[in-house]
Amino acid sequence: MVRVKGEDLEGTLSSETILDEEALEKELQTAIEQENYAKAAKIRDSLRFLHEDGKASVLAANARFYNSFRQGDLSAMQALWVKADHVCCVHPGVSGISGYDLVMGSWEFVWAEYEFPLEIEVKNVQVHI
């Protein structure tokens, strides 16, 4: 489920619309079966927007992550991670580390090993939603 600001499926401006991809897929199928092609086109466009918005969000988060790593900005790195037990990080040569506090501790350890700024080149980033 994704929250976006913009127009709802009827074209009315709303401050926040909740888009559920599965629900939209079902609505699209129903609109096609009912031969309501105008509604189907709007739903198709909403699904496309949902995918594009999701990709843009992932790419932006990826850029913020690598920028904070490049600059050695621990506070920016901390702001990127959800403060929860389910977060996980896998550093090269180490098994997965779970939980916000342990993950942040691992980044503090990484920070101690490098002199910043780092030269990090990110290539061929692909996002599949």
Side-chain angles (χ1 to χ4, degrees):
M1 195 174 304
V2 176
R3 294 180 186 273
V4 296
K5 293 185 185 238
E7 292 182 0
D8 62 18
L9 293 177
E10 281 73 45
T12 5
L13 194 61
S14 62
S15 62
E16 188 173 48
T17 303
I18 299 175
L19 296 178
D20 180 341
E21 185 176 5
E22 215 172 277
L24 284 174
E25 292 284 355
K26 288 178 185 176
E27 284 185 45
L28 176 60
Q29 190 59 39
T30 300
I32 291 169
E33 288 169 2
Q34 295 173 348
E35 297 182 5
N36 186 343
Y37 300 117
K39 184 176 181 180
K42 284 183 181 182
I43 295 169
R44 178 207 60 214
D45 292 344
S46 293
L47 282 165
R48 184 175 299 134
F49 172 77
L50 181 62
H51 288 156
E52 289 171 3
D53 190 51
K55 285 182 179 181
S57 294
V58 171
L59 289 170
N62 189 63
R64 287 191 307 271
F65 173 86
Y66 281 104
N67 285 336
S68 66
F69 192 14
R70 225 178 253 116
Q71 298 305 315
D73 187 344
L74 187 57
S75 63
M77 179 66 77
Q78 290 168 331
L80 290 170
W81 294 82
V82 173
K83 293 180 181 172
D85 292 336
H86 68 272
V87 299
C88 180
C89 180
V90 180
H91 296 289
V94 181
S95 60
I97 301 164
S98 296
Y100 178 82
D101 291 333
L102 292 173
V103 168
M104 288 305 104
S106 74
W107 281 111
E108 289 174 17
F109 182 75
V110 169
W111 258 235
E113 296 294 313
Y114 292 101
E115 289 191 29
F116 295 96
L118 295 174
E119 289 192 35
I120 299 173
E121 186 177 353
V122 179
K123 294 181 180 182
N124 302 322
V125 176
Q126 296 181 17
V127 177
H128 301 276
I129 301 289

